[in-house]
Each structure stands twice: as C-alpha cells, then as structure tokens.
Amino acid sequence: MSLKIFWRLHQPLKRTQACGFAVRTLNGLNSVPSNRLNCTTVASSASTQNPLRDWRNGHTSLHYHRCLVKRGVCQRPLFERLTPLNLKSSLQMRLQSTTTAIKSVLKQGGMPGKRTFKGPRTKQPSRTNQPSLEEDMMQCIAYATADQYHLPTLCHDLIAHGFVEIKEFPRDASNVLVMRTENAAKPYDSGTIFVFREGSVVFWNIEEKTIKTVMRILEQHEIQPYEVALVHWENEEINYTVGEGNSKLHRGIFLFNEELDYDQVVLEKFAFSNALSLSVKLAIWEVSLDNFVESIQSIPEMLKSGQRVKLSRAEVMQKIGELFSLRHCINLSSDLLITPDFYWDREDLEQLYDKTCQFLNINRRVKVVNEKLQHCTELTDLMRNHLSEKHSLRLEWMIVILITIEVMFELARVIF
C-alpha cells in the first residue's frame, strides 16, 4: 500500500484547463508537493480574484481524494505556483490573444452583412487629399443611375420644378436633354445639366441641394435603375474654370475661353460631358463584369480538381445570356468603340471629346473589358459543350437500354 501511494505522489505535473495552475495528478488525483496550501484558503482567494476554473469538471477526482484524506493516506490537494502575478499574466495573455484574433477577422473580412466595393474605375480627385477649390474654380460631376431615361416625361417634370430647357441645341444631338438653372454653386458661370438618354447625367456648377433634387426626379423616369451606393461610388468629379486662351483639358482641369458666347460654351460642355457620361457608364459595366466573374470563378477550380460542376443547363444558358447582354451594351449600343457622328463636322469639339476620353483611359479600359469578356465566353462555351455531351451520352445510353430490352423480348418469344 505504501509503495502504491509513493508511486502516485511522484506523477508528472499537469496544467488545469481553467487557470493554468500546475497540479500533480493521475487520473484526476492530486499529489502532495512540498509547499502546502489549505484548500479552503485557495478556493477563497481564487474566488476573490475571479478565476476561470470550473470545479464541476473535477468533481469525481476531488471526491475520491477526500476519501483518501479521511483515511489518512493522503493530505489535502495543494497547488503550485498559485500567485496573483501568474493569474494576472495568464488573464492578460488570453485577453491579448482574443483581441488580436478579433482585429485579424475585421481586417480580413470587415463587418458581416456590409457590402464593400473595390477601388473606383473612374478618376475622382475629390477622394484623394485634394486641397479645397479655389475661389474661381467650379465643379463638374457625372453620374450613371440607370440603363435608360425616358426623356420626354423627364423634360416636363424638370420644367415643372423650375428648370429651363435649352432648345437652341443641334438636332443631331437627340440623345441628350440640356437644362439650365439659376441655382448655381458659384456666380462665375450658370448652372447647366446634361441628361443623356443612356442613363447618365452631368452637372456643371450646380449646388448640392439642387443635385439631390434632380436625382430624386430622375428616379421616377429611370429604366432599370442601378444600386444607389454604386451610383455614388462610380462617379466622375472634375474641376473647371473660365479664363484666357482656347478651351482645353489641362492637368485634369477644364479650361473655357471667357470670350466665347453662351451657345458655344454649351457645345464645349456637351463634348466634355459626353466623354464623362461614357466613363461612368463603363464603370458600371465593369462592376457588372466583376460580379459575373466572381459568380463563375469556382468553375475552373472544380474542373481542375475533377469535381462535378453543379450547374444545370438552364443556369448555364442564363450565364451566357448575361454575358452577351453585357457585350451588347459595351460594343454595340454605346459609343465606346467609335466617335459619335455629332463630331464629324465639328473638329474643335471632337478634339475636346478625344482628349477627355484619353484622360479617362476609356480606350484602354474597353480593351481590358473585352479581353475579360472573351475569357468568360470561352468558359461558358466549355460548360455548354460539356452539358451537351452529357445530354448526348444520356440519350445514347437510353437507346442502348431500349435496344437491349427489345432483344430480350425477342429472345424470350423465340425460346418460349
């Protein structure tokens, strides 16, 4: 019996799960170290320091140990290295690790349920650390809010709200509605609004309150509107001023000749606005393409690992329809690939339009988008061919089974 007790007393130290105290145990039994503490004192001090230990986990072992105490075989359970300093450092380490884990989760994924956008495709100097506008500097802002606007009803609605239509505008620019307002942000130029049928609007020297009013009016005449957060994220903001010299785009700022009459200034603003409207529309389509790519990005990995692609024929055809609709919008229904006919006999306006498109990197962005579209088209064609082969193989097996059944019936008729 004494040898058995001696063997139990020399078992290795183990740490409890709760507070990390070193305890000499074997199957839940405590040993007798050299420095002894009373169990009642330990429990009271631990409760005052708010320890994390759960005594219910060791209920069986403590009950067995009490029996040994009553028999005089073993003394009360004792703990080693139980000091306030160790307890405080242990709790600090756990708190620090928890805080680090929370920070890493927030850094990687952000708050759940909140959508975050990638970096904007448009040039927006207001989102950088740009200094405040100078006294004679005004602002031009472009938005794309929907696929299309219904211009006739929109014109009547804007006139009813106090805006004035500029009717002295060339007839070959039939896809735009030009409005004038007295609510200008600065007195150096009149406020002008260009509303394009393709779903974009450009504000020149318009105060913020009036912009919000026009945006609310546009919501009633939109066809296939875009997400509000996306509209305000993918916009264009460029400053402009009026001075001496020819009108041009210089270092990201529009410069207008102060000697020009009002009609010519409106035409030059239209050339700049046309390029800005194309840029914001292209930005919306780039976001749509990114969403499409994210929806099919798992297919190549599944094919690479030999897994089964869980897409039905209807889903694949839907993806193909989305892809071709996007290609149609970019390459056929817009002026991204060619210069509009409006500028054929207006070389001065064409130079302003081309210069602005070059500044906004429209040609390069269109090229990148078409390369992505080509890759997505190849992937969707691969999926369609794969499903067609599976369908053909299924039909062949059905034919083979039907022929086999027919042969069996013929054999049975001949035998019997």
Side-chain angles (χ1 to χ4, degrees), residues 374-387:
Q374 182 63 30
H375 174 74
C376 294
T377 302
E378 294 176 357
L379 184 57
T380 52
D381 289 341
L382 175 63
M383 291 303 304
R384 182 176 59 181
N385 295 333
H386 175 67
L387 292 178

Side-chain angles (χ1 to χ4, degrees), residues 77-229:
L78 301 172
F79 297 87
E80 293 181 353
R81 295 183 291 176
L82 180 59
T83 62
L85 182 60
N86 290 343
L87 179 60
K88 182 178 179 181
S89 61
S90 176
L91 293 176
Q92 288 178 350
M93 291 176 62
R94 292 174 181 271
L95 181 60
Q96 184 178 3
S97 62
T98 305
T99 306
T100 305
I102 293 174
K103 288 182 178 180
S104 63
V105 170
L106 293 178
K107 183 177 180 181
Q108 294 176 1
M111 296 300 294
K114 185 176 180 180
R115 180 180 178 184
T116 57
F117 295 100
K118 298 180 180 179
R121 282 84 174 164
T122 53
K123 289 182 178 292
Q124 298 158 343
S126 64
R127 295 184 183 174
T128 60
N129 295 326
Q130 184 188 19
S132 58
L133 293 177
E134 299 179 0
E135 184 65 25
D136 60 342
M137 195 74 67
M138 292 157 284
Q139 196 173 44
C140 171
I141 307 176
Y143 297 98
T145 65
D147 283 346
Q148 284 185 357
Y149 294 137
H150 193 267
L151 292 185
T153 57
L154 176 60
C155 180
H156 292 293
D157 204 352
L158 289 174
I159 293 175
H161 283 78
F163 297 92
V164 180
E165 181 183 3
I166 300 178
K167 299 182 179 180
E168 298 82 10
F169 205 72
R171 294 184 178 180
D172 50 350
S174 59
N175 64 328
V176 64
L177 177 64
V178 186
M179 307 297 293
R180 185 177 68 250
T181 179
E182 300 298 332
N183 299 326
K186 292 187 177 181
Y188 306 104
D189 188 24
S190 60
T192 311
I193 304 174
F194 293 88
V195 183
F196 292 86
R197 189 189 306 274
E198 291 78 13
S200 56
V201 57
V202 183
F203 300 95
W204 292 83
N205 193 29
I206 304 295
E207 59 182 9
E208 185 177 357
K209 182 179 178 180
T210 306
I211 292 177
K212 293 181 179 179
T213 301
V214 175
M215 297 291 280
R216 287 195 297 267
I217 298 174
L218 290 176
E219 292 178 357
Q220 306 174 8
H221 306 275
E222 294 174 347
I223 301 174
Q224 297 295 325
Y226 301 142
E227 186 179 352
V228 177

Side-chain angles (χ1 to χ4, degrees), residues 135-371:
E135 184 65 25
D136 60 342
M137 195 74 67
M138 292 157 284
Q139 196 173 44
C140 171
I141 307 176
Y143 297 98
T145 65
D147 283 346
Q148 284 185 357
Y149 294 137
H150 193 267
L151 292 185
T153 57
L154 176 60
C155 180
H156 292 293
D157 204 352
L158 289 174
I159 293 175
H161 283 78
F163 297 92
V164 180
E165 181 183 3
I166 300 178
K167 299 182 179 180
E168 298 82 10
F169 205 72
R171 294 184 178 180
D172 50 350
S174 59
N175 64 328
V176 64
L177 177 64
V178 186
M179 307 297 293
R180 185 177 68 250
T181 179
E182 300 298 332
N183 299 326
K186 292 187 177 181
Y188 306 104
D189 188 24
S190 60
T192 311
I193 304 174
F194 293 88
V195 183
F196 292 86
R197 189 189 306 274
E198 291 78 13
S200 56
V201 57
V202 183
F203 300 95
W204 292 83
N205 193 29
I206 304 295
E207 59 182 9
E208 185 177 357
K209 182 179 178 180
T210 306
I211 292 177
K212 293 181 179 179
T213 301
V214 175
M215 297 291 280
R216 287 195 297 267
I217 298 174
L218 290 176
E219 292 178 357
Q220 306 174 8
H221 306 275
E222 294 174 347
I223 301 174
Q224 297 295 325
Y226 301 142
E227 186 179 352
V228 177
L230 181 61
V231 169
H232 291 277
W233 181 254
E234 298 291 351
N235 64 357
E236 290 284 3
E237 300 178 7
I238 297 182
N239 301 328
Y240 78 98
T241 185
V242 179
E244 298 179 354
N246 296 328
S247 300
K248 59 183 177 179
L249 173 62
H250 181 67
R251 295 182 180 180
I253 298 176
F254 295 139
L255 302 177
F256 292 94
N257 188 357
E258 60 184 0
E259 297 179 358
L260 295 177
D261 56 359
Y262 179 76
D263 294 338
Q264 184 65 25
V265 172
V266 171
L267 288 176
E268 291 182 350
K269 286 183 179 180
F270 170 76
F272 290 129
S273 301
N274 200 350
L276 292 174
S277 65
L278 289 179
S279 179
V280 291
K281 288 291 291 186
L282 179 59
I284 298 295
W285 291 330
E286 286 172 333
V287 173
S288 300
L289 180 58
D290 288 343
N291 295 334
F292 181 85
V293 171
E294 290 179 1
S295 66
I296 64 173
Q297 66 180 359
S298 61
I299 295 179
E301 294 297 330
M302 296 175 67
L303 295 175
K304 179 181 177 181
S305 59
Q307 300 179 6
R308 181 180 178 183
V309 180
K310 298 180 180 180
L311 284 177
S312 63
R313 189 177 183 86
E315 292 175 343
V316 172
M317 295 303 298
Q318 182 181 2
K319 293 293 182 182
I320 294 175
E322 295 176 4
L323 186 61
F324 275 90
S325 176
L326 190 58
R327 296 187 72 172
H328 178 83
C329 292
I330 295 174
N331 297 314
L332 298 180
S333 63
S334 67
D335 295 327
L336 292 173
L337 299 180
I338 60 174
T339 302
D341 299 341
F342 179 81
Y343 304 103
W344 283 7
D345 55 348
R346 299 177 177 91
E347 296 182 0
D348 52 343
L349 299 180
E350 183 179 1
Q351 292 179 1
L352 298 178
Y353 172 81
D354 292 337
K355 191 70 175 180
T356 308
C357 291
Q358 182 181 359
F359 172 73
L360 299 173
N361 298 323
I362 291 181
N363 293 333
R364 183 180 61 83
R365 290 161 60 190
V366 171
K367 181 179 179 181
V368 173
V369 167
N370 279 321
E371 291 178 356

